[in-house]
Amino acid sequence: MADLTYRRLQKAVTDLAKEVAKGSEAIRSAAQWIDEEAQDTARVSEAIGGMGVDPDTVSETSELSKIMRGVSEAAIAYASAGDNTTKAAKAAYDQAHTTHNGIQEAYSRAPVDMSNLNREWLRQE
């Protein structure tokens, strides 16, 4: 495995936050669509009830609407969890920036080629 560098960490965390945010938005859109379909199904249930359709069919249609609303609510909760993950990834990015950016800047400005520097030497006390 390649060494984890500050820049790789920045990119990985940023990519993760973007990917999770995109997924959360897709889930939220699907949940809204399911909710709209649940509302339509509830209206159909009321309409067929008024038309004298057998009670079992009306009841099943109404139950389907309730199930669809439950699915929509669960999907929205799942998307909210994704939002929390995005926030955590951004917080990790901010923390990495706070703790390591100064080191990265000093490393980038160093007039000496430090690419072959033995990191174990730096860890010695």
Side-chain angles (χ1 to χ4, degrees):
M1 182 175 138
D3 289 339
L4 180 64
T5 64
Y6 171 67
R7 293 203 193 281
R8 286 186 189 142
L9 176 63
Q10 276 184 317
K11 180 171 179 3
V13 171
T14 301
D15 290 349
L16 172 65
K18 288 177 184 176
E19 192 74 24
V20 171
K22 189 183 339 177
S24 293
E25 187 56 38
I27 292 168
R28 190 170 282 107
S29 295
Q32 289 172 341
W33 177 79
I34 292 169
D35 189 57
E36 290 168 6
E37 292 297 315
Q39 290 173 11
D40 287 346
T41 304
R43 283 191 286 272
V44 167
S45 175
E46 291 172 11
I48 65 174
M51 295 166 54
V53 174
D54 70 289
D56 288 340
T57 302
V58 174
S59 176
E60 288 173 359
T61 306
S62 178
E63 187 63 28
L64 174 62
S65 173
K66 291 175 187 173
I67 291 169
M68 291 172 72
R69 279 201 189 201
V71 169
S72 173
E73 290 171 4
I76 289 170
Y78 185 76
S80 294
D83 292 343
N84 291 339
T85 302
T86 300
K87 289 176 188 173
K90 287 180 181 177
Y93 174 88
D94 291 343
Q95 180 63 38
H97 182 76
T98 300
T99 57
H100 298 294
N101 194 47
I103 296 168
Q104 180 64 41
E105 286 178 9
Y107 178 84
S108 297
R109 286 192 315 262
V112 177
D113 178 19
M114 297 175 46
S115 60
N116 293 323
L117 182 64
N118 183 342
R119 292 180 182 171
E120 290 303 316
W121 182 82
L122 294 173
R123 291 187 183 115
Q124 294 176 7
E125 294 183 85

